Amino acid sequence: MGDGQTWAEILSIGTELLMGEIVDTNAAWLASRLPPLGITLRWVTQVGDDLGDLTYALRQALGRSQVIITTGGLGPTADDLTREAVAQVLGETLTVDDALLAHLQAYFQRRGVPMAQANIKQAMRIPSALPLPNPRGTAPGWWVEQDGHIIVCMPGVPHEMEHMWNNEVAPRLQQKVRGTVILTRTIKTFGMPEGSVGELVQEFFGKENPYLGIYAKPDGIHLRLIARAPSRAEALSLLQPVEDAIRQRLAPIIWGVDDETPEKQVGALLKENRWSLAVMESCTGGLLASTITDVAGSSTYFRGGAVTYTAEAKIAHGVDGRLIETYGVVSPQVAEDMARAVREGFQADFGIGITGVAGPDPLEGKPPGTVFIGIAWEGGTRSVAGRYPPDRNLVKRRAVMHALLELHRTLAQRVRG
Amino acid sequence: MGDGQTWAEILSIGTELLMGEIVDTNAAWLASRLPPLGITLRWVTQVGDDLGDLTYALRQALGRSQVIITTGGLGPTADDLTREAVAQVLGETLTVDDALLAHLQAYFQRRGVPMAQANIKQAMRIPSALPLPNPRGTAPGWWVEQDGHIIVCMPGVPHEMEHMWNNEVAPRLQQKVRGTVILTRTIKTFGMPEGSVGELVQEFFGKENPYLGIYAKPDGIHLRLIARAPSRAEALSLLQPVEDAIRQRLAPIIWGVDDETPEKQVGALLKENRWSLAVMESCTGGLLASTITDVAGSSTYFRGGAVTYTAEAKIAHGVDGRLIETYGVVSPQVAEDMARAVREGFQADFGIGITGVAGPDPLEGKPPGTVFIGIAWEGGTRSVAGRYPPDRNLVKRRAVMHALLELHRTLAQRVRG
């Protein structure tokens, strides 16, 4: 691939996509990984399990894109036609690859299940296709180079595809593609309104390169820098000084960058300082604990949680019943006491308590979306109120993000002393 | 639109899609709503905010599809080019529609915010475009009919698009399209391997109409029936008898149909029988409780849960420490005792206990993906083992589905007595 723009196209293959049975998350996942490689995604096409439509889409893609990435259609059934379509479009013949077949048979042997005749199909390839190993499934991928085009075929199962992309495809593309490198850096803040954040970095807006955008997200205000240059080094030299200046101005409210999440950042701070955490949740119903434990290694700092959906359960877990009587179960006082009680109950350094109204019905006359978050530590508690859109699942997700970011703030303050 | 096949195509418009910043959920949402209207979706294309690419995609769509549905690109900014592209492709001129403009100004007035100059663009239309009201936003949609083609333009914001589809677009398409109506029915089973399920309904495979497909999913084996006919009534008369026959053969293992979920079905059974539930989870870290409480009204049967990430926490919640010593924390004995302990602790009718290895590291020499699920009721407990792919989040999701389906089985048996 020469200099300048490298156009890419994604073909998401499968009739289940066109029937609306599954959402094409693969395309978005891949799309976000192309710009850093200097590849510009121009088209995404969803096409069904139809040989005619598949070959049509592939021919069109060859006519307008240098890099063509397909997902899906590599299974063992008669519907899986990606291999056949690529062979037909390139005028090559499919034959069984003995090495692939042996590998496939070994895969089934390891699992102690007999290999069906149908699976032999997955061991087939065309001469110009380099097989890409798929340790997470039975469908090997293909890497095909022809006339300045690269065709990559990957399975549709997300965790198989992602593993293959990271280990086989991305490194090869890095070698091949010499396009305009696009570097992005997202700086994530919390605790200041969008307008005020914008004012603090006003002077960096309206520039072409690096371009600065500002976005309001459930986990705070994000600033995204985009730099374009012929090489990674040049792009970085454009991006770095602006990033440093922004970091300096927003230091106290920055909690993370890029794909860092509140749960990862909270986990890192807890781990570094050998602190432990326990949570008691009502309206979030376990989503807070589940989000915390999505992070690998969370068992080193997460002691556990209680989902106390009833007042009795809260009292049984150490919450002062008089506070519930006096202030109601949806109150800052009860949120703080839940944090205190669970912290003591699990003998943790920090505790979080969440109480609120997930909806659809109001509670104690408070509308859905009303949430109180309590945080407890050695010798202190505090609470914040949240008001979110009155959608049950939105309330749960927003409240969890909010609680984690408030905890991060408390932890960061402790670290700074 | 005459008889026979009516082909549709979706254009999802927006560079943020191609940058991987958002997932195109609109396409899947729309896709699932076309078959009942007798419309077959053949292509979905994601295209950026580029006038050239947009007109290219529209011309191509006009060449191969009778119904073209676009989402996105109707905003007030310079990037929003859907109106311009349609005008160009149809060779018509955009002019301000006074009624639309008045409506737009009223919209801003109601919200007490000044209307920006840029928004005037949203009041423009071409002569052949019928404006579609958008009570949820500022961007009206377009309904365009020309030379046997229908072009529908809708906003990209999901809750605006969905409202416009339900109230403006779907009814009009119902009028216009006389295509083949496609009815589908998905029957969801659990507790029998795919091969055995297949054998029981063998005779219904290999027919064209209704077509029967079988699929292995995280929540069990799904059977999908697809019937095609000129009218909804005729399609139903094809589908119903086969569905009834399948239901009869698989009755004991069917847990739901279509978009029913294990958490909804478990909730329904608990509610009907006035039973209550409590859960103690280790490796799923709160996801089980969170999934249960995703269901509106779950507070009527869900007493609460404990996330006991450590052995100490399990013991503190009533689990017998000797069982942990003897069998290890990841064992059927501990899973059953967790179920028993949490059932008693929350005074619930049923209890679930989950213990296992989410990974990435092994535990007690057991590999990631090893999970034991315990279920407890008045006077009894049982447990099942699960082995899932060793991916942390996959293990959590699979174990939760498995636990809910095992509980559903237990509840269904109790109901049958």
Side-chain angles (χ1 to χ4, degrees), chain A residues 18 21 31 42 44-46 53 56 60 64 224 285-287 289-290 293-294 298 304-305 307 309 392-393 396, chain B residues 18 21 31 42 44-46 53 56 60 64 224 285-287 289-290 293-294 298 304-305 307 309 392-393 396:
Chain A
L18 299 180
E21 284 159 19
R42 193 166 172 192
V44 174
T45 306
Q46 290 178 18
D53 289 356
Y56 175 100
Q60 170 168 263
R64 63 190 185 185
R224 192 163 86 253
L287 185 60
S290 181
T293 57
D294 280 341
S298 46
V307 181
Y309 229 47
R392 187 176 183 83
N393 291 296
K396 288 179 70 174
Chain B
L18 299 181
E21 284 159 19
R42 192 164 172 195
V44 174
T45 306
Q46 290 179 20
D53 289 354
Y56 175 101
Q60 170 167 263
R64 63 188 185 186
R224 192 164 84 256
L287 185 61
S290 181
T293 57
D294 279 341
S298 46
V307 181
Y309 229 48
R392 186 178 183 82
N393 292 296
K396 287 179 70 174

Side-chain angles (χ1 to χ4, degrees), chain A residues 19, chain B residues 182-184 208-212 224-228 239:
Chain A
M19 295 288 287
Chain B
I182 303 170
L183 280 189
T184 71
E208 246 313 301
N209 197 11
Y211 171 85
L212 178 64
R224 192 164 84 256
L225 280 166
I226 305 177
R228 300 159 190 273
L239 192 130

Side-chain angles (χ1 to χ4, degrees), chain B residues 7 13 78 93 138 238 242 258 268 288 304 314 349 368 392:
Chain B
W7 297 113
I13 298 162
T93 316
T138 60
L238 285 167
V242 182
D258 297 339
L288 176 58
K314 289 181 181 68
D349 298 304
R392 186 178 183 82

Side-chain angles (χ1 to χ4, degrees), chain B residues 379-401:
Chain B
T381 64
R382 68 182 183 93
S383 62
V384 292
R387 265 308 291 281
Y388 317 109
D391 170 273
R392 186 178 183 82
N393 292 296
L394 216 52
V395 169
K396 287 179 70 174
R397 292 205 303 277
R398 291 283 184 88
V400 165
M401 279 302 116

Side-chain angles (χ1 to χ4, degrees), chain A residues 65 191 245 248 291 315:
Chain A
S65 308
Q248 207 175 13
T291 305
I315 293 164

Side-chain angles (χ1 to χ4, degrees), chain B residues 9-78:
Chain B
E9 174 151 4
I10 292 174
L11 301 183
S12 303
I13 298 162
T15 299
E16 64 272 34
L17 290 165
L18 299 181
M19 296 288 288
E21 284 159 19
I22 56 172
V23 176
D24 182 15
T25 53
N26 285 343
W29 190 90
L30 288 166
S32 67
R33 277 146 182 87
L34 291 170
L37 292 170
I39 299 171
T40 307
L41 180 64
R42 192 164 172 195
W43 304 96
V44 174
T45 306
Q46 290 179 20
V47 52
D49 303 310
D50 175 280
L51 193 58
D53 289 354
L54 268 172
T55 52
Y56 175 101
L58 276 167
R59 288 205 174 88
Q60 170 167 263
L62 284 166
R64 63 188 185 186
S65 309
Q66 291 113 297
V67 176
I68 299 153
I69 302 163
T70 77
T71 62
L74 295 180
T77 76

